[in-house]
Amino acid sequence: MAGNADAASASGLKLNYYSKSCPRAEEIVREQVKIHYGQHKNTAVSWLRALFHDCIVKSCDASLLLQTAAAAGVVSEQSSKRSFGMKNFGYIDDIKSALERACPGTVSCADLLVLATRDGVALIGGPADIPMRTGRRDARASYYGEVERYVPNHNDSVSTVLSRFASMGVDAEGVVALLGGHSVGRVHCFNFNLVARLYPAVDGAFEPVYGAFLRKRCPSAHPIEDTNLDVTYARNDRHAQRDRQHIGPPLIILKGRGLLLVDQGLATDPRTAPFVRKMAADNAYFIDRFAAALVKMSENGPLTGDKGEIRKDCKSINTL
C-alpha cells in the first residue's frame, strides 16, 4: 500500500498521530468498542456502514454524525432517505466521552469513527490490526442536500456503484471486497427494492429455498415503515444469528443469495465477477483486499491542518 501511504502523508495523515498528544487514544477506542460490541453485536456493522456513508459524501470528516440543529442551520445527513435504518450513533458519543476524559479537545470524531470501524470489523472476523492513519479533523457543516448524489441506492447498477466508489479511489476489486460487508447486517422489509424482488413473483436470480425464506421474513408486498416496536428484516445469510455475525467473502452471491440487487450483479458483471470468484475461493485474499480497500476509503479527502475543527461533541459543531 505504498501509493496509499504516500497520498496519506501528503494529506497530513500519519500512523500514530496521537502518540504524543493522546498516547492511549487508539487503546481507549478499542476498549470501548469491545465493551459495546459485548453488549450489542450489531454495533460493528453499524460503524462500518456509518464510515462508508461519512466518507463517500465529500470527505471522511464526521459530517454524518452531526444532528439536526435549526439554530445552527444544520440538517443531519442521518435524516436522508439513503440513511434509512442507520443506528447506534449513541455509542459513538460514549467513545467520544471516554476520549474527552483522557484528552480533552484532542481526538477528532472523524478519526474516532475510522478507528471504531477498524476495531469493530476485527471483532466480526475481518482483518485485525489494520494500520490506519489518523489526523483527520471534523467538518463544520452537514451535507444533507448532497447525500443522494454521492451515496448509491441499494439496487443501483454495478456501473453506478463502481463510479461512486471510484470517486474515493476504490477500484472494482476493492468494491467487491467492501461489499463483502453485506454478509453481515440486515435489510429492512420496508426497503421497496427488496420487496420488489419478492412480489408479485420471486426474482429468478434468488436460490429457490432462499427466495422462499425471504418471503417468510417479508410476508407483504406493502410493508409498513418500521417502528422501534415493529421491525421486520432479512439477512444475507439466513443461518446467521444476531449475535454470531461474521464478515466474509462474497460466496453467498454465487449461490443466488445476494440480498441486494447490486450484490447479485457483482457475480455477473465482467468487471467484478473474476474478483467475486477469486475471493469466494480464497478467504485470505478477501481479507487482504478488504483491509486495503477500507484504508483507501477511510482516507478520502480528509480535513487536516487548520481545516475544520476537533469537535467536543460529535453531534454538534463547536460554539465559537
Side-chain angles (χ1 to χ4, degrees):
M1 294 187 285
N4 208 43
D6 292 341
S9 178
S11 71
L13 301 182
K14 65 179 183 180
L15 295 174
N16 302 311
Y17 179 85
Y18 298 106
S19 60
K20 294 182 179 179
S21 59
C22 190
R24 291 193 65 247
E26 295 196 23
E27 184 180 350
I28 290 170
V29 173
R30 186 173 292 110
E31 289 172 351
Q32 289 291 312
V33 165
K34 288 181 178 178
I35 290 171
H36 290 300
Y37 178 76
Q39 297 170 342
H40 304 280
K41 296 296 188 293
N42 61 0
T43 53
V45 181
S46 297
W47 293 326
L48 178 58
R49 184 184 175 194
L51 182 65
F52 164 68
H53 277 250
D54 186 48
C55 290
I56 200 169
V57 180
K58 291 183 175 290
S59 165
C60 299
D61 57 10
S63 61
L64 172 71
L65 303 182
L66 290 171
Q67 290 188 351
T68 296
V74 174
V75 179
S76 177
E77 294 172 27
Q78 297 172 34
S79 53
S80 168
K81 291 181 179 179
R82 290 286 196 271
S83 302
F84 176 77
M86 297 185 76
K87 59 193 301 184
N88 292 330
F89 291 107
Y91 302 129
I92 294 293
D93 297 333
D94 291 344
I95 300 173
K96 178 62 170 173
S97 294
L99 288 168
E100 286 295 304
R101 287 194 295 271
C103 312
T106 303
V107 182
S108 71
C109 298
D111 278 342
L112 184 168
L113 182 56
V114 167
L115 295 172
T117 300
R118 175 191 67 180
D119 297 335
V121 162
L123 292 173
I124 54 175
D129 300 320
I130 305 173
M132 302 293 261
R133 285 168 279 271
T134 44
R136 299 165 190 77
R137 290 170 65 84
D138 301 322
R140 290 188 51 80
S142 166
Y143 306 113
Y144 166 80
E146 300 187 58
V147 171
E148 292 195 24
R149 181 161 70 92
Y150 284 95
V151 179
N153 192 14
H154 286 147
N155 291 327
D156 274 337
S157 67
V158 172
S159 291
T160 297
V161 172
L162 290 178
S163 175
R164 300 288 174 84
F165 274 90
S167 70
M168 297 188 289
V170 179
D171 60 15
E173 182 183 39
V175 171
V176 173
L178 286 176
L179 291 191
H182 288 170
S183 61
V184 291
R186 62 193 188 181
V187 173
H188 293 242
C189 295
F190 183 68
N191 182 326
F192 170 77
N193 297 308
L194 172 57
V195 296
R197 298 187 68 196
L198 301 176
Y199 299 94
V202 176
D203 186 336
F206 280 133
E207 174 193 52
V209 172
Y210 186 59
F213 164 76
L214 291 178
R215 276 241 185 164
K216 289 181 179 179
R217 291 297 307 168
C218 302
S220 172
H222 306 286
I224 61 173
E225 184 170 357
D226 294 337
T227 67
N228 289 333
L229 299 178
D230 182 16
V231 179
T232 55
Y233 61 88
R235 298 188 187 281
N236 252 325
D237 182 353
R238 66 192 182 93
H239 299 295
Q241 300 176 32
R242 183 174 181 177
D243 62 347
R244 295 184 183 278
Q245 298 184 69
H246 194 283
I247 199 166
L251 179 62
I252 53 176
I253 63 178
L254 293 179
K255 297 180 177 180
R257 300 175 192 164
L259 191 56
L260 302 178
L261 195 60
V262 67
D263 293 335
Q264 204 59 54
L266 296 177
T268 56
D269 191 289
R271 294 165 294 182
T272 53
F275 300 122
V276 171
R277 292 192 293 270
K278 186 174 181 181
M279 290 182 195
D282 186 344
N283 188 66
Y285 165 65
F286 162 72
I287 290 293
D288 179 72
R289 292 300 83 202
F290 184 95
L294 188 65
V295 169
K296 174 67 74 173
M297 181 175 75
S298 75
E299 295 177 355
N300 181 44
L303 302 179
T304 57
D306 59 358
K307 297 178 181 178
E309 65 181 12
I310 305 297
R311 281 185 220 141
K312 298 176 183 178
D313 180 341
C314 291
K315 300 188 298 297
S316 58
I317 298 167
N318 293 341
T319 56
L320 298 178

